[in-house]
Amino acid sequence: MINYKTATLEELKIEFKRLSKQAGDMPLGTRKEFSHLPAILEDDETPLAVAAGLMGGNTWLITLTDRRVIFLDKGMVFGLKQVNVSLADIVSVSSRTRMMTGSIILNTTGQVYTIENVMKGAVIPFTNLVNSACERLNTSVAGAAATREYPLDPAPMEMIIQLEKLASLKERGILSDEEFSTQKARILAM
């Protein structure tokens, strides 16, 4: 595994090609964006694939990591635009293809990101990779929650049983409304 923080330019070129193949795309015109990726990645974050497409009239490098989708656009002269979408925030990922290109649509609870003009051969593989990364994240979060121990408190269940018995006695006419209210208050005060 490459250490992006200490990688040479040659190592980054090789890594760019490897990540491009993961989605079946050679993202044209986005090498300059990829060269900025080491400064953006967290220390233990792992890139999984890259693709390129148009968003807002500009060409963006789209990098899928094990935590997020990173959009990078390096201007012609200066400036770097960056958009981060956490995998945990992604509600759905969809795609559509046309004759030569296609679109990838990332939906979060508050935003829709549509990436146009993605090479047709990369649209479905990249969409599937994002879906898989989201599923892995959701599975690991659900697994962590399932292994957490929650102590069972029998008191609420006992209280419910007592209240049901009390209601049954009232329905059968054994307890008056006043007696029912008094006993109910006593049970709830426990």
Side-chain angles (χ1 to χ4, degrees):
M1 180 57 74
I2 183 174
N3 181 341
Y4 283 82
K5 303 289 184 186
T6 60
T8 65
L9 286 176
E10 189 58 35
E11 290 171 325
L12 286 174
K13 283 181 187 178
I14 293 167
E15 185 67 359
F16 182 71
K17 288 179 183 176
R18 185 188 74 77
L19 292 172
S20 299
K21 288 179 184 176
Q22 299 301 313
D25 184 18
M26 191 51 170
L28 300 174
T30 56
R31 284 185 194 257
K32 62 187 177 294
E33 284 85 359
F34 191 79
S35 68
H36 289 278
L37 196 60
I40 294 165
L41 290 173
E42 295 173 12
D43 288 337
D44 55 347
E45 186 173 17
T46 306
L48 305 173
V50 294
L54 292 177
M55 195 167 62
N58 295 328
T59 301
W60 293 73
L61 174 70
I62 309 146
T63 304
L64 169 64
T65 76
D66 58 340
R67 296 183 190 162
R68 58 188 167 155
V69 176
I70 304 168
F71 299 96
L72 292 174
D73 175 31
K74 176 79 171 96
M76 287 293 219
V77 178
F78 60 91
L80 178 70
K81 290 184 255 179
Q82 176 183 340
V83 177
N84 296 300
V85 180
S86 170
L87 294 179
D89 293 337
I90 295 175
V91 176
S92 68
V93 183
S94 58
S95 62
R96 60 179 177 255
T97 57
R98 292 179 285 289
M99 178 126 17
M100 303 281 289
T101 63
S103 303
I104 299 171
I105 302 102
L106 295 174
N107 290 293
T108 67
T109 52
Q111 183 79 33
V112 176
Y113 301 90
T114 303
I115 306 99
E116 301 284 347
N117 288 359
V118 178
M119 294 305 295
K120 184 178 181 177
V123 171
I124 292 173
F126 196 84
T127 300
N128 290 342
L129 288 167
V130 173
N131 277 321
S132 295
C134 289
E135 287 173 18
R136 275 192 304 278
L137 179 71
N138 290 335
T139 301
S140 68
V141 169
T147 58
R148 196 174 303 134
E149 291 187 26
Y150 297 98
L152 296 176
D153 185 1
M157 186 54 79
E158 182 74 27
M159 189 181 300
I160 291 169
I161 292 168
Q162 288 180 0
L163 289 171
E164 287 174 344
K165 287 179 183 178
L166 195 60
S168 174
L169 291 172
K170 181 182 176 231
E171 286 175 16
R172 295 190 325 217
I174 297 173
L175 292 177
S176 68
D177 287 341
E178 186 179 312
E179 291 170 320
F180 173 78
S181 295
T182 303
Q183 292 300 321
K184 179 181 170 187
R186 183 188 60 78
I187 293 169
L188 292 174
M190 290 184 180

Short mmCIF file of all heavy atoms in Angstrom, two decimals, residues 106-144:
data_model
loop_
_atom_site.label_atom_id
_atom_site.label_comp_id
_atom_site.label_asym_id
_atom_site.label_seq_id
_atom_site.Cartn_x
_atom_site.Cartn_y
_atom_site.Cartn_z
N LEU A 106 -25.15 11.19 -6.95
CA LEU A 106 -25.04 10.90 -5.52
C LEU A 106 -26.10 11.71 -4.78
O LEU A 106 -26.13 12.94 -4.91
CB LEU A 106 -23.67 11.31 -4.97
CG LEU A 106 -22.43 10.60 -5.48
CD1 LEU A 106 -21.18 11.27 -4.93
CD2 LEU A 106 -22.45 9.16 -5.07
N ASN A 107 -26.94 11.03 -4.02
CA ASN A 107 -27.98 11.71 -3.24
C ASN A 107 -27.64 11.62 -1.77
O ASN A 107 -27.39 10.53 -1.25
CB ASN A 107 -29.34 11.05 -3.47
CG ASN A 107 -29.87 11.30 -4.85
OD1 ASN A 107 -30.19 12.42 -5.19
ND2 ASN A 107 -29.93 10.26 -5.67
N THR A 108 -27.63 12.78 -1.10
CA THR A 108 -27.52 12.82 0.35
C THR A 108 -28.86 13.35 0.85
O THR A 108 -29.74 13.66 0.06
CB THR A 108 -26.37 13.74 0.81
OG1 THR A 108 -26.69 15.09 0.48
CG2 THR A 108 -25.04 13.34 0.17
N THR A 109 -29.01 13.46 2.15
CA THR A 109 -30.28 13.96 2.67
C THR A 109 -30.53 15.41 2.28
O THR A 109 -31.67 15.83 2.21
CB THR A 109 -30.34 13.82 4.21
OG1 THR A 109 -29.18 14.42 4.76
CG2 THR A 109 -30.43 12.37 4.62
N GLY A 110 -29.51 16.17 2.01
CA GLY A 110 -29.72 17.58 1.71
C GLY A 110 -29.19 18.06 0.38
O GLY A 110 -29.34 19.22 0.04
N GLN A 111 -28.58 17.18 -0.41
CA GLN A 111 -27.91 17.63 -1.62
C GLN A 111 -27.91 16.50 -2.67
O GLN A 111 -27.84 15.33 -2.32
CB GLN A 111 -26.46 18.01 -1.29
CG GLN A 111 -25.65 18.57 -2.41
CD GLN A 111 -25.94 20.02 -2.68
OE1 GLN A 111 -26.26 20.77 -1.77
NE2 GLN A 111 -25.85 20.42 -3.92
N VAL A 112 -27.95 16.90 -3.93
CA VAL A 112 -27.80 15.96 -5.04
C VAL A 112 -26.58 16.41 -5.84
O VAL A 112 -26.48 17.57 -6.24
CB VAL A 112 -29.06 15.93 -5.94
CG1 VAL A 112 -28.84 15.02 -7.13
CG2 VAL A 112 -30.28 15.51 -5.15
N TYR A 113 -25.65 15.49 -6.06
CA TYR A 113 -24.46 15.76 -6.85
C TYR A 113 -24.57 14.96 -8.14
O TYR A 113 -24.60 13.73 -8.12
CB TYR A 113 -23.19 15.33 -6.10
CG TYR A 113 -23.01 16.04 -4.78
CD1 TYR A 113 -23.53 15.51 -3.60
CD2 TYR A 113 -22.33 17.25 -4.72
CE1 TYR A 113 -23.37 16.17 -2.40
CE2 TYR A 113 -22.18 17.92 -3.51
CZ TYR A 113 -22.70 17.37 -2.35
OH TYR A 113 -22.55 18.01 -1.16
N THR A 114 -24.63 15.67 -9.28
CA THR A 114 -24.74 15.01 -10.57
C THR A 114 -23.45 15.26 -11.34
O THR A 114 -23.09 16.41 -11.60
CB THR A 114 -25.94 15.55 -11.37
OG1 THR A 114 -27.13 15.36 -10.59
CG2 THR A 114 -26.09 14.82 -12.69
N ILE A 115 -22.78 14.18 -11.67
CA ILE A 115 -21.52 14.26 -12.41
C ILE A 115 -21.82 13.79 -13.83
O ILE A 115 -22.15 12.63 -14.06
CB ILE A 115 -20.42 13.38 -11.77
CG1 ILE A 115 -20.25 13.75 -10.29
CG2 ILE A 115 -19.11 13.54 -12.52
CD1 ILE A 115 -20.95 12.82 -9.36
N GLU A 116 -21.71 14.69 -14.78
CA GLU A 116 -22.01 14.41 -16.18
C GLU A 116 -20.73 14.07 -16.95
O GLU A 116 -19.64 14.32 -16.48
CB GLU A 116 -22.67 15.64 -16.84
CG GLU A 116 -23.96 16.10 -16.20
CD GLU A 116 -25.14 15.22 -16.54
OE1 GLU A 116 -25.05 14.39 -17.47
OE2 GLU A 116 -26.17 15.34 -15.85
N ASN A 117 -20.92 13.57 -18.14
CA ASN A 117 -19.82 13.27 -19.08
C ASN A 117 -18.76 12.36 -18.50
O ASN A 117 -17.57 12.50 -18.80
CB ASN A 117 -19.18 14.56 -19.62
CG ASN A 117 -20.09 15.28 -20.59
OD1 ASN A 117 -21.20 14.81 -20.88
ND2 ASN A 117 -19.65 16.41 -21.10
N VAL A 118 -19.16 11.43 -17.67
CA VAL A 118 -18.26 10.39 -17.19
C VAL A 118 -18.15 9.38 -18.32
O VAL A 118 -19.16 9.04 -18.96
CB VAL A 118 -18.81 9.72 -15.91
CG1 VAL A 118 -17.89 8.60 -15.44
CG2 VAL A 118 -19.02 10.75 -14.81
N MET A 119 -16.95 8.88 -18.61
CA MET A 119 -16.80 7.90 -19.68
C MET A 119 -17.74 6.71 -19.43
O MET A 119 -17.82 6.22 -18.30
CB MET A 119 -15.35 7.42 -19.78
CG MET A 119 -14.38 8.52 -20.22
SD MET A 119 -14.82 9.32 -21.80
CE MET A 119 -14.66 7.98 -22.93
N LYS A 120 -18.44 6.30 -20.45
CA LYS A 120 -19.48 5.27 -20.33
C LYS A 120 -18.98 4.01 -19.61
O LYS A 120 -19.67 3.45 -18.77
CB LYS A 120 -20.02 4.91 -21.71
CG LYS A 120 -21.15 3.92 -21.68
CD LYS A 120 -21.68 3.65 -23.08
CE LYS A 120 -22.83 2.68 -23.03
NZ LYS A 120 -23.39 2.46 -24.37
N GLY A 121 -17.75 3.59 -19.91
CA GLY A 121 -17.21 2.38 -19.31
C GLY A 121 -16.95 2.49 -17.82
O GLY A 121 -16.79 1.48 -17.13
N ALA A 122 -16.92 3.71 -17.29
CA ALA A 122 -16.65 3.91 -15.86
C ALA A 122 -17.91 4.14 -15.05
O ALA A 122 -17.88 4.02 -13.82
CB ALA A 122 -15.71 5.09 -15.68
N VAL A 123 -19.01 4.47 -15.69
CA VAL A 123 -20.22 4.87 -14.97
C VAL A 123 -20.72 3.77 -14.03
O VAL A 123 -20.85 3.98 -12.82
CB VAL A 123 -21.34 5.30 -15.95
CG1 VAL A 123 -22.66 5.51 -15.22
CG2 VAL A 123 -20.93 6.57 -16.69
N ILE A 124 -20.99 2.61 -14.57
CA ILE A 124 -21.54 1.53 -13.74
C ILE A 124 -20.51 0.99 -12.75
O ILE A 124 -20.83 0.82 -11.57
CB ILE A 124 -22.15 0.42 -14.62
CG1 ILE A 124 -23.40 1.00 -15.31
CG2 ILE A 124 -22.50 -0.81 -13.81
CD1 ILE A 124 -24.04 0.12 -16.34
N PRO A 125 -19.26 0.74 -13.16
CA PRO A 125 -18.28 0.27 -12.17
C PRO A 125 -18.08 1.25 -11.01
O PRO A 125 -18.03 0.84 -9.86
CB PRO A 125 -16.98 0.10 -12.97
CG PRO A 125 -17.43 -0.14 -14.37
CD PRO A 125 -18.68 0.68 -14.52
N PHE A 126 -17.98 2.54 -11.31
CA PHE A 126 -17.78 3.51 -10.24
C PHE A 126 -19.01 3.57 -9.33
O PHE A 126 -18.89 3.61 -8.10
CB PHE A 126 -17.45 4.91 -10.79
CG PHE A 126 -16.87 5.84 -9.77
CD1 PHE A 126 -15.51 5.83 -9.49
CD2 PHE A 126 -17.68 6.72 -9.06
CE1 PHE A 126 -14.96 6.68 -8.53
CE2 PHE A 126 -17.14 7.57 -8.10
CZ PHE A 126 -15.78 7.55 -7.84
N THR A 127 -20.20 3.56 -9.92
CA THR A 127 -21.45 3.54 -9.14
C THR A 127 -21.48 2.32 -8.22
O THR A 127 -21.81 2.43 -7.03
CB THR A 127 -22.67 3.55 -10.07
OG1 THR A 127 -22.63 4.73 -10.89
CG2 THR A 127 -23.97 3.53 -9.29
N ASN A 128 -21.13 1.17 -8.75
CA ASN A 128 -21.12 -0.07 -7.94
C ASN A 128 -20.08 0.01 -6.81
O ASN A 128 -20.34 -0.47 -5.71
CB ASN A 128 -20.85 -1.28 -8.82
CG ASN A 128 -22.02 -1.60 -9.73
OD1 ASN A 128 -23.14 -1.15 -9.51
ND2 ASN A 128 -21.75 -2.36 -10.78
N LEU A 129 -18.92 0.60 -7.10
CA LEU A 129 -17.89 0.74 -6.06
C LEU A 129 -18.37 1.66 -4.93
O LEU A 129 -18.13 1.37 -3.76
CB LEU A 129 -16.59 1.28 -6.67
CG LEU A 129 -15.81 0.29 -7.53
CD1 LEU A 129 -14.73 1.01 -8.33
CD2 LEU A 129 -15.20 -0.81 -6.68
N VAL A 130 -19.06 2.74 -5.27
CA VAL A 130 -19.58 3.64 -4.23
C VAL A 130 -20.63 2.91 -3.40
O VAL A 130 -20.62 2.97 -2.17
CB VAL A 130 -20.16 4.94 -4.84
CG1 VAL A 130 -20.85 5.78 -3.77
CG2 VAL A 130 -19.07 5.75 -5.52
N ASN A 131 -21.54 2.20 -4.08
CA ASN A 131 -22.56 1.43 -3.36
C ASN A 131 -21.92 0.41 -2.43
O ASN A 131 -22.34 0.25 -1.28
CB ASN A 131 -23.52 0.74 -4.34
CG ASN A 131 -24.62 1.66 -4.81
OD1 ASN A 131 -25.15 2.46 -4.04
ND2 ASN A 131 -24.97 1.57 -6.08
N SER A 132 -20.91 -0.30 -2.90
CA SER A 132 -20.23 -1.30 -2.07
C SER A 132 -19.55 -0.66 -0.86
O SER A 132 -19.62 -1.19 0.25
CB SER A 132 -19.18 -2.06 -2.89
OG SER A 132 -19.80 -2.81 -3.90
N ALA A 133 -18.90 0.48 -1.08
CA ALA A 133 -18.23 1.17 0.03
C ALA A 133 -19.26 1.62 1.07
O ALA A 133 -19.01 1.51 2.27
CB ALA A 133 -17.42 2.36 -0.49
N CYS A 134 -20.41 2.12 0.61
CA CYS A 134 -21.47 2.54 1.54
C CYS A 134 -22.00 1.34 2.32
O CYS A 134 -22.23 1.43 3.53
CB CYS A 134 -22.60 3.22 0.78
SG CYS A 134 -22.19 4.86 0.14
N GLU A 135 -22.20 0.22 1.63
CA GLU A 135 -22.69 -0.99 2.31
C GLU A 135 -21.69 -1.48 3.35
O GLU A 135 -22.08 -1.87 4.45
CB GLU A 135 -22.97 -2.09 1.29
CG GLU A 135 -24.21 -1.85 0.46
CD GLU A 135 -24.38 -2.86 -0.66
OE1 GLU A 135 -23.74 -3.94 -0.62
OE2 GLU A 135 -25.16 -2.56 -1.58
N ARG A 136 -20.40 -1.48 3.01
CA ARG A 136 -19.37 -1.90 3.98
C ARG A 136 -19.39 -1.01 5.21
O ARG A 136 -19.32 -1.48 6.34
CB ARG A 136 -17.98 -1.89 3.35
CG ARG A 136 -17.62 -3.15 2.60
CD ARG A 136 -16.14 -3.21 2.25
NE ARG A 136 -15.64 -2.08 1.50
CZ ARG A 136 -15.75 -1.93 0.18
NH1 ARG A 136 -16.35 -2.84 -0.54
NH2 ARG A 136 -15.25 -0.86 -0.41
N LEU A 137 -19.52 0.29 4.98
CA LEU A 137 -19.56 1.23 6.10
C LEU A 137 -20.80 0.98 6.96
O LEU A 137 -20.71 0.90 8.18
CB LEU A 137 -19.56 2.67 5.59
CG LEU A 137 -19.63 3.74 6.67
CD1 LEU A 137 -18.32 3.80 7.44
CD2 LEU A 137 -19.95 5.09 6.07
N ASN A 138 -21.95 0.82 6.33
CA ASN A 138 -23.20 0.57 7.07
C ASN A 138 -23.14 -0.74 7.83
O ASN A 138 -23.62 -0.84 8.95
CB ASN A 138 -24.40 0.60 6.13
CG ASN A 138 -24.69 1.99 5.62
OD1 ASN A 138 -24.33 2.98 6.24
ND2 ASN A 138 -25.31 2.07 4.47
N THR A 139 -22.53 -1.77 7.24
CA THR A 139 -22.41 -3.07 7.90
C THR A 139 -21.50 -2.97 9.12
O THR A 139 -21.82 -3.51 10.17
CB THR A 139 -21.87 -4.13 6.91
OG1 THR A 139 -22.76 -4.21 5.80
CG2 THR A 139 -21.74 -5.47 7.56
N SER A 140 -20.40 -2.25 8.98
CA SER A 140 -19.48 -2.13 10.12
C SER A 140 -20.11 -1.31 11.24
O SER A 140 -19.93 -1.61 12.41
CB SER A 140 -18.14 -1.54 9.70
OG SER A 140 -18.28 -0.20 9.32
N VAL A 141 -20.88 -0.27 10.90
CA VAL A 141 -21.55 0.53 11.92
C VAL A 141 -22.64 -0.29 12.61
O VAL A 141 -22.76 -0.29 13.83
CB VAL A 141 -22.14 1.82 11.30
CG1 VAL A 141 -23.08 2.52 12.27
CG2 VAL A 141 -21.03 2.75 10.86
N ALA A 142 -23.42 -1.04 11.82
CA ALA A 142 -24.47 -1.89 12.39
C ALA A 142 -23.87 -2.99 13.26
O ALA A 142 -24.40 -3.30 14.32
CB ALA A 142 -25.33 -2.50 11.28
N GLY A 143 -22.76 -3.56 12.83
CA GLY A 143 -22.09 -4.60 13.61
C GLY A 143 -21.59 -4.07 14.94
O GLY A 143 -21.69 -4.72 15.96
N ALA A 144 -21.04 -2.85 14.92
CA ALA A 144 -20.55 -2.25 16.16
C ALA A 144 -21.71 -1.99 17.12
O ALA A 144 -21.59 -2.21 18.32
CB ALA A 144 -19.82 -0.94 15.86
#
